[in-house]
Amino acid sequence: MPKSKTRKNHHDYRPPANAEKSKKNKSAVNIAIVFFALICMGIAYFAAGSSQFWFLWLLGGAVIGSIAGYYFGRQFDKSFAKR
């Protein structure tokens, strides 16, 4: 009867040396930028009312929202990177 302790383990999987590891983008910055830009554009739309330059309000809201989303996403990444 064979001794199982001296047998070679068959289940060790080792990827080939030339295989590239997939690096997923796990950053919250891009999602936060889009989310905050949309929220600020909505606020700017209602703030503009019946203004003649409503598109400038939307553009300004998108820019301010993008900046806020960038900083929020960076802070979110920093806080979860510590864990």
Side-chain angles (χ1 to χ4, degrees):
M1 193 153 175
K3 295 181 183 179
S4 61
K5 290 183 180 179
T6 60
R7 283 182 152 185
K8 185 179 179 183
N9 193 356
H10 298 261
H11 303 288
D12 284 341
Y13 173 73
R14 293 190 179 131
N18 60 356
E20 293 182 23
K21 294 181 181 179
S22 64
K23 194 173 189 181
K24 293 183 181 178
N25 187 7
K26 295 183 179 181
S27 176
V29 175
N30 295 333
I31 295 170
I33 287 173
V34 172
F35 180 73
F36 275 75
L38 289 175
I39 295 296
C40 287
M41 283 176 68
I43 293 171
Y45 176 76
F46 288 112
S50 62
S51 173
Q52 186 178 4
F53 301 106
W54 60 271
F55 57 90
L56 290 177
W57 282 87
L58 290 179
L59 183 64
V63 169
I64 292 171
S66 298
I67 293 169
Y70 173 76
Y71 286 113
F72 178 80
R74 255 186 50 199
Q75 187 63 35
F76 192 78
D77 283 344
K78 280 184 185 178
S79 66
F80 280 102
K82 293 179 183 177
R83 296 182 183 181

